[in-house]
Amino acid sequence: MGINERKVRERNEMRQRIIQGAIHMFMTEGYEKTSIRNIAEKIEYSPATIYLYYKDKDELLYDVQKEAFQGLLVEFQARATATDPFERLTQICQTYVRFGLTNQEMYNLMFILKAPMNVIEEQEYWKNGDDCFAFLTTCIHECIQLKQIRYDNVMIAALSVWSMAHGLVSLDICCRMKVMEMEEEGVVHAITASVNEYLKLIKN
Amino acid sequence: MGINERKVRERNEMRQRIIQGAIHMFMTEGYEKTSIRNIAEKIEYSPATIYLYYKDKDELLYDVQKEAFQGLLVEFQARATATDPFERLTQICQTYVRFGLTNQEMYNLMFILKAPMNVIEEQEYWKNGDDCFAFLTTCIHECIQLKQIRYDNVMIAALSVWSMAHGLVSLDICCRMKVMEMEEEGVVHAITASVNEYLKLIKN
DNA sequence: TGGAAATAATGAACACTGTTCATTAAATTT
DNA sequence: AAATTTAATGAACAGTGTTCATTATTTCCA
């Protein structure tokens, strides 16, 4: 009975087509101008068809977010390869910031927009960000074990590192760095400098 | 000729009425469900009337944001009063986090949402956040002069402190802390602990 | 004070949004 | 080949931000 397998495969292919259409719209037109009708037109289907594969827009955005996180994890695995934990932590931070600044629309969907988080039930936890966060926590765990950083609690340390990196990237993406009198180039430099300063601060 | 003065006054009163209506909608219904029609109904005017006082929704949001920043500045002035610069920096951070967690919709408008920033011209700078940021930078300037913190550059230090606080608050508001297996109470505790740890780290 | 000019407010419309549902087209089963 | 299940769609609904011709009100001047 290979017919059911094909049905499942075709369903996944269609979902993938929708996700890729959505990503394409994000990249070219930005999140704000990406509508269900836009995505449908891009993949040459009726808007109503999308609702056969996704309950609502939030559920679709959640899947696009999942795709984006797989991209970040690949970056981590490719760029944060040092065997020394602290050195790897440095690579993680640099990769994170770089990823955020070069994929602003995707970063927005991953870490800022509320919409994709609406699918998560109260008290339930967020599976999309799971692997990337685990990549960070295991690294920090090793740093603490080797007494390489001035933190003793893995959770507090992971949250702090993440918050510093996210704070810098998101303030830039959300245009809030306009309080400072700086050109675009100077902003990127200040972000990099701040991350490096922070890593120096936490180093034992 | 007091008639023109009255016209100006009435115009400001109307704008204030619109702003307060918008704030009321934010507080009670949240940002997502706050529409021009909603605000108009709240203040008992036609939707079209709002467009006699604001060019578009973004411009209105910008003015609401301004109001919100005045609120934060008042908090700073009331709670961050220590004469010792580092102690005052601690108070600033605590006030900031407290403000963000207790006024999530306003924080969203002030630091996360893109809409109000659209009114700012390219390369121009962001006047709304000005005073609050100056409050932070002058404090940090004093900290550096007294060698109370391990930073030598005021801008980098201010950006770092702000990013850490904003990172923590915004990750919570945007529900991204759901990657960590924690109850709501634990999250608030972790945020506080992270800020305190950071302040310990930068203290000389 | 009464009528003209300027100002303020509005209802109705436009083009868009997410979403639903009855109807049509296609594929599968009998 | 006919009946049944599955897939896709067009049209509609209620909502959005925004514009504009029309109406109401206020101000000005003869």
Side-chain angles (χ1 to χ4, degrees):
Chain A
M1 251 309 166
I3 187 162
N4 274 340
E5 274 84 344
R6 201 207 64 208
K7 282 272 171 78
V8 171
R9 197 178 61 234
E10 280 180 347
R11 191 171 173 81
N12 286 339
E13 280 169 6
M14 187 60 171
R15 286 172 84 110
Q16 196 56 37
R17 207 173 298 138
I18 295 169
I19 293 171
Q20 291 307 324
I23 290 176
H24 185 270
M25 288 310 299
F26 285 146
M27 305 288 226
T28 57
E29 307 292 328
Y31 170 77
E32 307 260 297
K33 283 170 190 162
T34 300
S35 66
I36 295 285
R37 281 177 173 81
N38 268 338
I39 298 168
E41 194 180 10
K42 174 72 198 158
I43 62 175
E44 297 175 295
Y45 276 87
S46 152
T49 302
I50 289 178
Y51 286 87
L52 298 176
Y53 296 88
Y54 287 104
K55 182 172 131 281
D56 55 26
K57 196 183 181 184
D58 291 346
E59 219 181 43
L60 164 55
L61 290 178
Y62 187 80
D63 257 21
V64 177
Q65 192 191 60
K66 184 190 291 178
E67 194 82 7
F69 267 103
Q70 283 167 13
L72 177 57
L73 187 63
V74 167
E75 290 272 289
F76 279 160
Q77 288 165 343
R79 303 182 112 93
T81 55
T83 47
D84 178 68
F86 186 81
E87 203 178 315
R88 197 161 74 251
L89 181 62
T90 306
Q91 292 173 327
I92 289 175
C93 290
Q94 287 166 349
T95 304
Y96 185 95
V97 170
R98 180 199 164 91
F99 180 92
L101 297 183
T102 54
N103 308 293
Q104 304 207 357
E105 292 295 335
M106 283 298 136
Y107 189 92
N108 202 25
L109 187 68
M110 292 161 82
F111 296 107
I112 299 173
L113 289 173
K114 209 161 206 170
M117 308 307 279
N118 293 339
V119 313
I120 302 169
E121 305 287 333
E122 189 75 29
Q123 203 72 1
E124 196 194 352
Y125 100 160
W126 180 39
K127 201 144 184 315
N128 279 353
D130 216 354
D131 293 341
C132 284
F133 190 65
F135 196 92
L136 173 64
T137 45
T138 54
C139 178
I140 283 178
H141 186 71
E142 290 176 43
C143 287
I144 291 176
Q145 280 190 320
L146 297 182
K147 297 195 191 303
Q148 289 184 307
I149 58 174
R150 298 151 80 113
Y151 282 107
D152 51 5
N153 183 312
V154 176
M155 268 299 155
I156 298 295
L159 180 58
S160 298
V161 172
W162 182 23
S163 291
M164 176 58 84
H166 168 71
L168 290 164
V169 173
S170 67
L171 284 178
D172 186 36
I173 288 179
C174 300
C175 308
R176 262 57 178 191
M177 297 228 180
K178 287 197 174 183
V179 271
M180 303 182 296
E181 304 174 75
M182 277 179 168
E183 305 115 50
E184 186 52 40
E185 196 191 278
V187 170
V188 176
H189 181 266
I191 292 171
T192 311
S194 295
V195 173
N196 291 337
E197 282 294 312
Y198 177 68
L199 287 167
K200 260 196 261 176
L201 278 168
I202 67 173
K203 190 175 187 176
N204 235 337
Chain B
M1 248 322 159
I3 185 161
N4 273 341
E5 275 82 344
R6 201 207 64 209
K7 281 274 171 75
V8 170
R9 197 179 61 235
E10 280 181 347
R11 192 172 170 80
N12 287 338
E13 281 171 4
M14 187 59 172
R15 286 172 82 110
Q16 197 55 39
R17 207 173 299 139
I18 295 168
I19 292 171
Q20 292 306 324
I23 290 176
H24 185 270
M25 289 309 300
F26 285 147
M27 304 290 225
T28 56
E29 306 291 329
Y31 170 76
E32 307 261 294
K33 283 170 190 164
T34 300
S35 66
I36 295 285
R37 282 176 173 83
N38 269 338
I39 298 168
E41 194 181 10
K42 173 74 198 156
I43 61 175
E44 294 174 299
Y45 277 88
S46 152
T49 302
I50 290 179
Y51 286 87
L52 298 176
Y53 297 89
Y54 287 103
K55 183 173 129 283
D56 54 27
K57 197 183 181 185
D58 290 346
E59 219 179 43
L60 164 55
L61 290 178
Y62 188 80
D63 258 19
V64 176
Q65 192 192 60
K66 184 189 291 178
E67 194 83 6
F69 267 104
Q70 283 167 13
L72 177 57
L73 187 65
V74 167
E75 290 272 290
F76 278 160
Q77 288 165 343
R79 302 184 112 94
T81 55
T83 48
D84 178 68
F86 187 81
E87 204 178 314
R88 197 161 75 252
L89 181 61
T90 306
Q91 292 172 327
I92 289 176
C93 289
Q94 287 166 349
T95 304
Y96 186 94
V97 170
R98 181 199 164 90
F99 180 92
L101 298 183
T102 55
N103 308 292
Q104 304 207 356
E105 292 293 336
M106 283 299 135
Y107 190 92
N108 202 24
L109 188 68
M110 294 161 81
F111 296 106
I112 299 173
L113 288 173
K114 209 159 206 172
M117 308 307 278
N118 293 339
V119 313
I120 302 170
E121 305 288 333
E122 189 74 30
Q123 201 74 359
E124 197 194 351
Y125 101 158
W126 180 39
K127 200 145 186 316
N128 279 353
D130 216 355
D131 293 342
C132 284
F133 190 65
F135 196 93
L136 173 65
T137 46
T138 55
C139 177
I140 282 177
H141 186 72
E142 290 176 44
C143 287
I144 290 176
Q145 279 190 321
L146 297 182
K147 297 197 192 301
Q148 288 183 307
I149 57 175
R150 299 152 81 112
Y151 281 107
D152 52 4
N153 183 312
V154 177
M155 267 299 154
I156 297 296
L159 180 57
S160 298
V161 171
W162 182 22
S163 292
M164 176 58 83
H166 168 70
L168 289 163
V169 173
S170 66
L171 284 177
D172 187 36
I173 289 180
C174 299
C175 308
R176 261 57 178 191
M177 297 227 179
K178 287 197 173 184
V179 270
M180 302 182 295
E181 302 174 77
M182 278 179 166
E183 304 115 53
E184 186 52 40
E185 198 190 277
V187 170
V188 177
H189 181 266
I191 292 171
T192 311
S194 294
V195 174
N196 291 337
E197 283 293 315
Y198 177 67
L199 287 167
K200 258 197 264 176
L201 278 169
I202 66 173
K203 189 174 187 177
N204 235 337

